[in-house]
Amino acid sequence: MPGPLRPLLRAVTYTRWLHLLVGAVVPLGCGLIHPGLADPGPAGWALVALLPVPLLAAVALVPSVRRAEGLQARLMLFPGAHARVRTPRGGPDTRVRAGEGDGGSAGVPAGDPGVSAVPSASWTDRARTAAWLVLRAEAGLATVFLSVWLPQVALTLAGTVVEGPLAGAPLPSPTGGPAAAALAPLPVLALVAVVVTGGELMAGAARRLLGPSVGERLAALEERTERILERNRIARELHDSLGHALTLAVVQAGAARAAADPGFTDRALEAIEETGRAALEDLERVLLLLRETGGPPGSRPGLAEADRLLDSARSSGARVGAEVTGPLEHVPGPVSREAYRMLQEGLTNVLRHAGQVPVDVRIAVEDARLRLEVRNSLGTHARTGAGTGSGLRGIRERAALLGGSAHAGRDGDAWLLRVDLPLR
């Protein structure tokens, strides 16, 4: 089919046409009341176009009108699966939507129409909604007029071929013959151009007037940032928990084989079983979080359960000494949970890189700070780097998110991990 007629094969052409026609309901309704539409002249049509403007501006003050208009625009101007709105539990959909089927704007998935479907939250939203309602009414009125007038012109031109000029025709017509027959398709093509162009212009106007406001874009950006942070936190959880369990199991298995002592082997197997069970619990909890059905953050272990980590390290053959000062129960939940993971990673690094060496753990709860230190002998496999592994990088990231700091490196003939976190 020729290019100019190709839009006739697209469903969106007809849904946009219908959207334009529906927009004329309000001005036509006002026109039926005053001045009447029996035989209006140019002044009458101008009055019909202006009458609904105050009414539409008043209706736009209702917050839910913007949501209704957004849903109509999404379904009729941008039909497709992406036009449907899935409202999450606990509140309306605030996702940013932009672009159409051929691509979206930066940071927005392709296929998003860029039309918001949430109630007005500010006077700016109400003003944009009012402008959209007025534009839709005026464009709809013009589309109705052209959708009726242009087919009449085409029929008039076609009728003159047989009957000659018609009395009362909407357009002065030629005297018939081949000239009229050649001109008859032009009004139909003009109507197609009006419908296609008008639909595209209304789609662009919908993105501008019904698109996400600045507040919605900020809310969507914050939501996206929170999702990224949550994914990073889950990745650190898996690294710390499973890495600790696997390192401990490997060290204990190697120590049991080297000891050749049935009693020590039984204790090592018991420790491996306990550590593996705890790791499986952590893995199940993380998987539940990924399925969005997990428990609250408080279910994660905190410093009050640090003895479990210390006992696991001791069962692997490391000589662990611990000094705890201050009330651990006064440490805020987020700080306690993150400090637990930092201690777990610190002990894991000792077992992984230094082996069964003496380890000194110090936990000090002060008025406004929590200080955590893990010091160990370098052992036979002395570390010479500055602490650039992924585990230590995760510790630094956790500390930075809490407004604290973490440092790791050689301290004389020992390796020292020092973490300083604010309690408030």
Side-chain angles (χ1 to χ4, degrees), residues 155-166 174-178 180-181:
L155 291 175
T156 299
L157 293 174
T160 58
V161 176
V162 178
E163 300 181 4
L166 300 179
T175 58

Side-chain angles (χ1 to χ4, degrees), residues 313-359:
R314 294 186 183 108
S315 65
S316 67
R319 298 184 295 277
V320 181
E323 177 186 354
V324 180
T325 58
L328 292 180
E329 63 274 8
H330 291 170
V331 179
V335 178
S336 179
R337 291 188 290 269
E338 295 301 321
Y340 177 92
R341 291 305 186 191
M342 295 179 195
L343 175 60
Q344 184 181 53
E345 178 62 26
L347 293 174
T348 300
N349 286 339
V350 172
L351 296 174
R352 180 181 298 155
H353 299 289
Q356 301 174 357
V357 297
V359 183

Side-chain angles (χ1 to χ4, degrees), residues 245-259 264-265 267-276 311-317 351 356:
L246 291 175
T247 299
L248 199 61
V250 170
V251 172
Q252 289 173 336
R257 184 176 60 178
F264 182 83
T265 301
R267 291 193 299 273
L269 291 175
E270 182 180 356
I272 292 174
E273 179 183 4
E274 180 181 352
T275 304
D311 292 340
S312 297
R314 294 186 183 108
S315 65
S316 67
L351 296 174
Q356 301 174 357

Side-chain angles (χ1 to χ4, degrees), residues 22-392:
V22 171
V25 170
V26 175
L28 290 177
C30 294
L32 289 173
I33 300 173
H34 180 80
L37 295 176
D39 188 18
W45 282 112
L47 186 58
V48 169
L50 294 176
L51 275 177
V53 172
L55 175 62
L56 294 173
V59 170
L61 299 178
V62 180
S64 57
V65 171
R66 182 168 179 260
R67 177 177 178 84
E69 289 296 320
L71 288 173
Q72 289 185 59
R74 290 163 66 92
L75 292 172
M76 301 180 74
L77 297 179
F78 309 94
H82 57 270
R84 298 177 177 84
V85 178
R86 296 187 300 273
T87 303
R89 292 177 296 178
D93 184 9
T94 57
R95 292 172 293 179
V96 176
R97 304 185 174 276
E100 201 181 343
D102 55 350
S105 59
V108 182
D112 261 335
V115 176
S116 180
V118 298
S120 299
S122 65
W123 287 106
T124 301
D125 291 344
R126 293 178 175 89
R128 295 169 67 202
T129 304
W132 165 256
L133 290 176
V134 173
L135 174 63
R136 185 182 179 191
E138 305 303 334
L141 189 61
T143 303
V144 167
F145 178 79
L146 294 175
S147 297
V148 174
W149 182 68
L150 288 175
Q152 286 182 350
V153 173
L155 291 175
T156 299
L157 293 174
T160 58
V161 176
V162 178
E163 300 181 4
L166 300 179
L171 186 71
S173 57
T175 58
L183 294 176
L186 294 182
V188 177
L189 294 177
L191 179 59
V192 172
V194 167
V195 171
V196 174
T197 305
E200 292 178 353
L201 292 176
M202 288 300 292
R207 292 194 185 102
R208 289 182 176 273
L209 298 177
L210 298 179
S213 63
V214 175
E216 292 171 20
R217 292 182 185 276
L218 288 176
L221 181 60
E222 291 176 357
E223 180 183 351
R224 181 171 177 269
T225 302
E226 290 176 359
R227 286 198 301 266
I228 293 175
L229 291 176
E230 181 67 13
R231 290 178 180 177
N232 290 338
R233 185 184 67 80
I234 290 175
R236 288 194 298 266
E237 290 275 335
L238 287 175
H239 175 273
D240 294 346
S241 178
L242 298 185
H244 173 77
L246 291 175
T247 299
L248 199 61
V250 170
V251 172
Q252 289 173 336
R257 184 176 60 178
D261 181 0
F264 182 83
T265 301
D266 290 341
R267 291 193 299 273
L269 291 175
E270 182 180 356
I272 292 174
E273 179 183 4
E274 180 181 352
T275 304
R277 186 179 294 111
L280 287 175
E281 292 176 358
D282 287 342
L283 178 61
E284 180 64 21
R285 179 181 53 76
V286 170
L287 293 177
L288 288 174
L289 284 175
L290 291 175
R291 300 187 193 108
E292 298 182 350
T293 57
S299 61
R300 297 165 53 199
L303 280 180
E305 303 175 51
D307 289 342
R308 187 177 74 178
L309 293 177
L310 301 177
D311 292 340
S312 297
R314 294 186 183 108
S315 65
S316 67
R319 298 184 295 277
V320 181
E323 177 186 354
V324 180
T325 58
L328 292 180
E329 63 274 8
H330 291 170
V331 179
V335 178
S336 179
R337 291 188 290 269
E338 295 301 321
Y340 177 92
R341 291 305 186 191
M342 295 179 195
L343 175 60
Q344 184 181 53
E345 178 62 26
L347 293 174
T348 300
N349 286 339
V350 172
L351 296 174
R352 180 181 298 155
H353 299 289
Q356 301 174 357
V357 297
V359 183
D360 292 324
V361 176
R362 179 175 176 268
I363 304 174
V365 181
E366 302 174 357
D367 291 338
R369 315 292 297 181
L370 170 66
R371 305 186 189 279
L372 170 65
E373 291 185 0
V374 178
R375 180 189 296 271
N376 64 276
S377 301
L378 291 176
T380 57
H381 303 286
R383 285 180 285 194
T384 59
T388 58
S390 60
L392 293 176

